[in-house]
Amino acid sequence: MEIINLKEINKKYNNGKPNEVHALRGVDLVINKGDSIAIMGVSGSGKSTLLNIIGCLDKSTSGEYLLDGVNINSKNATELAEIRNNMFGFILQSYGLIESDKVMNNVRIPLLFSKKYKPSEQKDRIETVLNKLKIFNLKNTKVRDLSGGQKQRVAIARAMVNAPEIILADEPTSALDSTTANEIISVLKELQQKGNTIIVVTHDQNVANKLDRIVHIVDGKIVEQSTM
């Protein structure tokens, strides 16, 4: 069953101005529930723009985006914020964590904007996720005292904590050594096995090869899709 359907998606920045940038050009992409997808392309190819549109962080200039059958282009900013928090978990290239705060508080952030878990349930939910990622013992440790691999696990925990359907990861292994990178991809694959849809932007062919499908994007166009 499809969860994401992009039809003729175009994205222009500075639309109609001399410095206009056509970041996406007629992108068609269907992603089914439970898929794992790698989006690959050189810097400036449009892959991060595509990820931002999928994650409702940005809107296309034209085209249609159906998310679980809902037309995203018709939603206002408040509705998009609610969709983002309920449907997506975001894993950022630079972790996006508050270095001076504890692991527990970093992971709690999505729950502060959600109605899925009552305040009385949040501590148990956070601890459950930390335990699954084998970092429960770090819950009271400040982020600045963690290794790169530990920080990425915290970022994954934060992405998971609100039980989203879709995990979006932007270069999640770029700052990690190969052994730790493989561990992080294994965690993402485990999430897929439990029903999550996983979408990863990556430059790393080894990472891409571990996912079910690779989407190649060049100059804002999808030029090839391959199944692993």
Side-chain angles (χ1 to χ4, degrees), residues 9-63:
I9 294 293
N10 289 278
K11 178 62 182 179
K12 296 180 181 180
Y13 295 101
N14 303 313
N15 194 10
K17 297 179 180 179
N19 59 340
E20 177 182 282
V21 175
H22 204 161
L24 294 177
R25 302 169 182 266
V27 168
D28 294 315
L29 181 63
V30 174
I31 299 174
N32 292 322
K33 290 185 179 183
D35 277 355
S36 64
I37 307 291
I39 300 175
M40 299 194 75
V42 300
S43 296
S45 61
K47 60 187 185 298
S48 291
T49 299
L50 178 57
L51 197 72
N52 288 341
I53 288 174
I54 289 172
C56 301
L57 292 167
D58 201 356
K59 272 193 170 185
S60 61
T61 306
S62 63

Side-chain angles (χ1 to χ4, degrees), residues 34-201:
D35 277 355
S36 64
I37 307 291
I39 300 175
M40 299 194 75
V42 300
S43 296
S45 61
K47 60 187 185 298
S48 291
T49 299
L50 178 57
L51 197 72
N52 288 341
I53 288 174
I54 289 172
C56 301
L57 292 167
D58 201 356
K59 272 193 170 185
S60 61
T61 306
S62 63
E64 184 178 59
Y65 175 16
L66 298 177
L67 175 63
D68 211 12
V70 175
N71 184 352
I72 291 301
N73 294 346
S74 66
K75 301 300 180 182
N76 61 35
T78 301
E79 291 169 329
L80 288 175
E82 185 174 352
I83 289 168
R84 278 196 302 273
N85 201 50
N86 287 329
M87 289 288 293
F88 296 100
F90 296 90
I91 303 170
L92 306 177
Q93 181 175 355
S94 57
Y95 312 126
L97 303 171
I98 302 170
E99 293 275 331
S100 60
D101 211 346
K102 295 178 181 180
V103 166
M104 193 89 171
N105 294 335
N106 271 273
V107 175
R108 180 180 282 113
I109 290 172
L111 299 179
L112 301 177
F113 306 95
S114 171
K115 299 176 182 176
K116 284 185 179 179
Y117 295 94
K118 298 175 183 178
S120 60
E121 300 172 329
Q122 292 181 6
K123 183 174 181 292
D124 284 346
R125 173 60 184 168
I126 295 167
E127 291 183 345
T128 296
V129 172
L130 292 178
N131 193 49
K132 285 180 180 178
L133 290 169
K134 301 176 182 177
I135 52 173
F136 180 84
N137 61 312
L138 300 174
K139 67 178 183 176
N140 291 317
T141 304
K142 291 188 176 180
V143 169
R144 65 186 174 213
D145 296 325
L146 303 178
S147 69
Q150 289 170 335
K151 288 180 181 179
Q152 196 60 289
R153 284 178 182 267
V154 175
I156 294 172
R158 185 186 55 191
M160 288 172 56
V161 75
N162 202 36
E165 291 193 46
I166 303 167
I167 302 290
L168 301 179
D170 192 357
E171 298 284 0
T173 62
S174 63
L176 305 176
D177 62 80
S178 59
T179 299
T180 307
N182 286 333
E183 290 176 359
I184 294 303
I185 293 302
S186 293
V187 170
L188 294 178
K189 289 293 289 182
E190 287 173 12
L191 292 176
Q192 181 193 6
Q193 290 168 6
K194 293 174 181 176
N196 287 101
T197 303
I198 310 294
I199 304 172
V200 179
V201 162

